[in-house]
DNA sequence: TGTTTAAAATTTTAC
DNA sequence: ATTTTAAACA
């Protein structure tokens, strides 16, 4: 074990104060780059080194798997032994662990399946249709989001106030109830349940609560500003008895309000936990003075915050580079070129990160990076486990592991094609419903009673037999070997090989992905633990290759880079239009915190880019500089107006033009802060319109609001159609 | 049942 | 513009 004391001696006074405060509630307000992780790990090590707590007495919770992993590794290094006995992990992972241990009490079996968003959507879609609700007007996505928010508030169906139910005329709650019943029947949980059910478990069973309270005498929470109501209740229940809870966070970096996070949790901590000690970390060790000044200026426009003053002993450093460009193509080229010259100058690609507001911006950047030949990795993009072939393979495993998993059954029963069509599936579904049993069991009944036609009968008999064979082999084989066997014997690999519609390189990529999956499975001793890994550890481990990092601003939280590029710094994109017209000042404040996070990722150099015109939905949209750019003091900035840009927007002028410095940030058109540029909700019943394909028509009805508004239009020639207002490109006739 | 064609949806952020 | 989903067709 390293000498903890010598490490504590190297900390600055507030850091040391936090590390030495081991009993009672503690709030550490840690600004960006102030050594938060260092404090967290050292404090954990100190708990153990001083004998205040044994590893198994400690619960340490983070939000991402990456953070959990880093925490574990660094603590292990400090204490010189494993953290295996510690309750250390993400909220979701720990929730799953608790829930599996006591599954029966919540009406589940310990081997329950964790559904991903796709399964969830599919299930809800079926329920919406069963309830005879128009799925176009009330999409499953939306319901999934609503239910998720309810779960964030720790509401079971019976807890939801009727007034809160705006879905399909107040039918959301009954759909939620039906959904929970289906989940239970499937022996499955969604992500929200991993947080919600443990809270109910602890609330309803005093013996279990007492057990955890006795065991977990010290609780540590990272990113406390991102906790939602369920997580808060969870922490409260567990810490009630001993009050040894230490939370670390930064209200200025709360960017998950849309996921139910309550900034209020961190703002009211001192009230919640009487006598809480508060420590502020304000010395920044990451960024230059200029970057810090810019970030502070931007965030100071927010009202709801613990005010704090970040400072650094570092120099001002380079000014922040601002590049107005013509369009997103030039934007991408500029960034790719800059990364290239950074590398030529002796830097490495890994120093550079491109952070954008929306995932959709990835593509144009990628294209340009490929063209210029700059290596890149997309972090948190299309995740490995979301790929179709991977999900198919996993569906086989799931059905193998949990025969009640109807969703997995539906996914793969006719993949590869076995001749099991709608007719056969309907028969099986009927049997299943009649006898309330899973589809797989129903299939066996249907086969036994000879209810299926020739082709389906043969195919399903073979399939059931195969499953039995795999089941028998399961014990003898390692999971990876079993996976190989299933892929080959089910004919899945053959299907990929035979797929003539797919280009050869894609077929190869799919095969490689499956090989990678098999390889990943080698680390697991049984199918169950692998499936747990799959559902919870979605962030793919990134190789340490020398490549520029591309990611959303959300994905960048907690990271730092020498050089940061911020493309798309435009009103309507960053801040995003959705947040502007939705929640008024709340929305813009969260966007501003997001901008704060983005800026503070940079250690030395920050490059902001915005375009005059951006391709969106396949067509060009004029754009103007972000209002956040105007919140940065001018002395922090250095503007690089290119020739192309000044041609397109003369008012930008050139660098040498004295007027340019004062005018460049003024948008060409007056800002319309809280209204949408699109045609949303401007349409009224009875209006006469023209559509490119359908011709002239009259609006018969409108449904919903904003960009999602749906119009029912009776066209003269084409008949009645339902169109989404923002996509239909309607003109007034 | 499988293939072709046309319409609708996508773009907020993610555990 | 590109991708996904539905429906019409063979």
């Amino acid at each position: 074990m390293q000498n903890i004391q010598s490490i504590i001696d190297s900390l600055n006074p507030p850091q040391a104060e936090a590390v030495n405060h081991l009993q009672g509630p503690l709030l550490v307000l840690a600004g960006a780059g102030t050594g938060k992780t260092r404090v967290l790990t050292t404090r954990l090590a100190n708990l153990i080194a001083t004998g205040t707590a044994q590893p198994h007495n400690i619960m340490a919770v983070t939000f991402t798997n990456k953070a959990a992993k880093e925490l574990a590794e660094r603590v292990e290094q400090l204490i010189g032994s494993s953290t295996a006995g510690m309750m250390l992990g993400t909220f979701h992972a720990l929730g799953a662990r608790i829930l599996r241990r006591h599954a029966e009490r919540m009406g589940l079996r310990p081997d329950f399946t964790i559904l991903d968003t796709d399964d969830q959507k599919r299930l809800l879609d079926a329920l919406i249709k069963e309830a005879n609700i128009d799925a176009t007007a009330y999409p499953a996505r939306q319901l999934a989001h609503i239910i998720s928010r309810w779960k964030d508030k720790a509401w079971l169906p019976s807890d939801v106030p009727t007034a809160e139910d705006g879905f399909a005329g107040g039918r959301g709650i009954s759909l939620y109830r039906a959904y929970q019943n289906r989940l239970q029947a499937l022996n499955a949980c969604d992500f929200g349940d991993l947080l919600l059910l443990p809270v109910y478990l602890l609330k309803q069973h005093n013996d279990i609560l007492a057990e955890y309270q006795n065991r977990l005498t010290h609780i540590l929470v990272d990113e406390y500003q991102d906790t939602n109501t369920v997580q808060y209740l969870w922490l409260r229940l567990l810490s009630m008895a001993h009050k040894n809870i230490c939370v670390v966070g930064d209200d200025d970096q709360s960017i998950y309000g849309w996921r139910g996070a309550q900034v209020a949790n961190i703002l009211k901590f001192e009230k919640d936990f009487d006598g809480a000690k508060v420590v502020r970390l304000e010395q920044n060790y990451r960024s230059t003075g200029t970057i810090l000044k810019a970030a502070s200026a931007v965030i100071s426009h927010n009202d709801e915050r613990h005010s704090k003053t970040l400072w650094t002993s570092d120099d001002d450093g380079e000014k922040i580079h601002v590049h107005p460009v013509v369009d997103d193509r030039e934007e991408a080229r500029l960034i790719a070129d800059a990364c290239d010259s950074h590398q030529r100058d002796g830097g490495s690609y890994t120093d550079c990160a491109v952070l954008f507001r929306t995932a959709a911006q990835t593509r144009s950047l990628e294209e340009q990076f490929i063209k210029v030949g700059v290596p890149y990795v997309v972090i948190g993009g299309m995740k490995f486990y979301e790929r179709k072939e991977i999900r198919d393979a996993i569906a086989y495993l799931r059905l193998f592991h949990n025969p009640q998993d109807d969703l997995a059954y539906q996914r793969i029963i006719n993949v590869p094609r076995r001749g099991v069509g709608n007719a056969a599936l309907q028969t099986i579904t009927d049997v299943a419903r009649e006898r309330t049993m899973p589809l797989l069991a129903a299939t066996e009944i249907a086969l036994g009673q000879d209810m299926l036609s020739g082709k389906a009968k043969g195919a399903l008999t073979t399939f059931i037999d195969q499953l039995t064979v795999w089941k028998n082999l399961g014990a003898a084989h390692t999971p990876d070997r079993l996976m190989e066997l299933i892929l080959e014997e089910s004919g899945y690999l053959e299907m990929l090989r035979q797929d003539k519609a797919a280009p050869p390189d894609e077929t190869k990529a799919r095969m490689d992905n499956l090989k990678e999956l098999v390889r990943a499975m080698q680390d697991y001793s049984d199918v169950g633990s692998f499936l747990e890994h799959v559902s919870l550890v979605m962030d793919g481990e990134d190789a340490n290759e020398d490549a520029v990092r591309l990611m959303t601003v959300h994905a960048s939280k907690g990271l730092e880079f020498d050089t940061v590029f911020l493309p798309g710094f435009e009103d309507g994109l960053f801040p995003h239009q959705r947040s502007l017209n939705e929640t008024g000042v709340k929305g813009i404040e969260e966007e501003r915190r997001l901008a704060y996070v983005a800026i503070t990722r940079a250690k030395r150099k920050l490059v902001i880019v915005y375009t005059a015109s951006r391709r969106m939905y396949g067509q060009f949209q004029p754009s103007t500089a972000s209002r956040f750019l105007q919140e940065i003091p001018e002395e922090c900035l250095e503007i690089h107006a290119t020739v192309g840009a000044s041609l397109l927007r003369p008012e930008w002028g050139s660098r040498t033009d004295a007027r340019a410095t004062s005018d460049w940030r003024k948008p060409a058109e007056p800002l319309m802060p809280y209204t949408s540029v699109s045609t949303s909700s401007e349409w009224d019943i009875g209006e006469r319109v023209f559509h490119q394909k359908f011709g002239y028509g009259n609006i018969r009805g409108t449904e919903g609001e904003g960009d999602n508004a749906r119009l029912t239009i009776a066209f003269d020639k084409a008949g009645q159609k339902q169109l989404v207002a923002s996509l239909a490109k309607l003109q007034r006739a």
Side-chain angles (χ1 to χ4, degrees), chain A residues 478-493:
Chain A
T478 55
D480 56 307
R481 180 77 195 100
L482 189 68
M483 183 82 260
E484 277 183 322
L485 215 72
I486 291 176
L487 287 172
E488 193 55 66
E489 291 185 359
S490 64
Y492 195 88
L493 291 179

Side-chain angles (χ1 to χ4, degrees), chain A residues 125-183:
Chain A
D125 206 43
L127 289 172
I128 289 170
K129 279 174 185 157
E130 267 172 45
N132 278 322
I133 294 168
D134 178 10
T136 0
Y138 298 101
R141 268 178 70 103
Q142 195 189 332
L143 182 59
H145 185 256
I146 292 170
I147 290 178
S148 235
R149 291 295 75 74
W150 287 341
K151 289 188 175 179
D152 288 342
K153 291 184 183 161
W155 287 344
L156 283 174
S158 54
D159 302 322
V160 181
T162 326
E164 295 277 334
D165 186 0
F167 189 81
R171 281 185 284 179
I173 295 173
S174 68
L175 284 167
Y176 178 19
R177 188 168 288 118
Y179 172 67
Q180 291 305 106
N181 290 337
R182 283 291 286 140
L183 285 181

Side-chain angles (χ1 to χ4, degrees), chain A residues 93 103 286 291 359 401 418 429 518 560 580 583 598 620 664 686 707:
Chain A
R286 179 187 294 156
I291 289 167
H401 184 68
R418 301 188 167 88
T429 312
V518 170
E560 57 177 31
L580 289 181
T583 21
F620 282 99
W664 63 273
D707 285 354

Side-chain angles (χ1 to χ4, degrees), chain A residues 12 15 29-36 39 281-285 310:
Chain A
N12 69 34
Q15 284 177 336
L29 286 170
T34 53
K36 181 192 73 168
V39 167
L281 306 182
E282 297 183 309
Q283 181 175 5
N284 176 292
Y285 296 99
L310 287 189

Side-chain angles (χ1 to χ4, degrees), chain A residues 570-582 612 614 616-617 619-625 627 649 669-683 706-707 725-727 729-730 732:
Chain A
E570 294 142 34
D571 247 38
L573 186 59
F574 200 172
H576 198 276
Q577 193 62 47
R578 280 285 251 274
S579 64
L580 289 181
N581 33 23
E582 261 169 27
R614 178 172 295 277
M616 266 179 139
Y617 303 106
Q619 50 190 4
F620 282 99
Q621 299 271 315
S623 43
T624 54
R627 64 193 66 187
R649 289 279 171 110
E669 289 127 59
L671 276 180
M672 303 289 277
Y674 297 106
T675 54
S676 166
V677 208
S678 75
T679 52
S680 58
S681 70
E682 286 171 29
W683 303 99
D707 285 354
S726 57
L727 298 168
K729 293 168 209 161
L730 289 173
R732 289 205 163 73

Side-chain angles (χ1 to χ4, degrees), chain A residues 29-46:
Chain A
L29 286 170
T34 53
K36 181 192 73 168
T37 312
R38 193 139 184 255
V39 167
L40 262 174
T41 51
T42 317
R43 189 173 178 280
L44 267 179
N46 202 25

